[in-house]
Amino acid sequence: MVQIYIKKNNGDTQVFDPSKLKRSLIVAGASAILADEILAHIEPTLHDGMTTAEIYKKAFLFIHKKAKKPAVK
């Protein structure tokens, strides 16, 4: 993956680290499997200068949409 620089809430810029996002999602209550699904969905949409708040918004929108899908028999 190409290095993407994100902007943290404190204004610092750093290279996006998927393991940090995964760890944060798990601490927030997501399973490791769901965290991996979220990463697979979000990583292709990342761009330089994106904020951590934007990344988390995308993550929670993904969870919300996934929760609304009906169960398949």
Side-chain angles (χ1 to χ4, degrees):
M1 183 174 157
V2 175
Q3 287 189 336
I4 304 286
Y5 290 88
I6 59 166
K7 192 170 198 171
K8 295 175 58 175
N9 287 334
N10 67 6
D12 290 347
T13 300
Q14 73 178 116
V15 175
F16 173 74
D17 181 352
S19 67
K20 286 184 179 181
L21 176 57
K22 182 176 180 176
R23 184 174 45 247
S24 181
L25 292 167
I26 291 170
V27 168
S31 68
I33 292 169
L34 179 57
D36 286 334
E37 285 182 50
I38 293 166
L39 280 167
H41 176 76
I42 288 176
E43 281 186 299
T45 70
L46 298 178
H47 56 83
D48 280 335
M50 189 172 222
T51 66
T52 53
E54 290 172 313
I55 294 169
Y56 284 110
K57 183 177 180 180
K58 284 180 174 283
F60 289 107
L61 282 172
F62 178 80
I63 292 168
H64 182 71
K65 286 179 185 177
K66 187 169 178 68
K68 284 191 168 193
K69 287 186 179 178
V72 178
K73 291 183 180 180

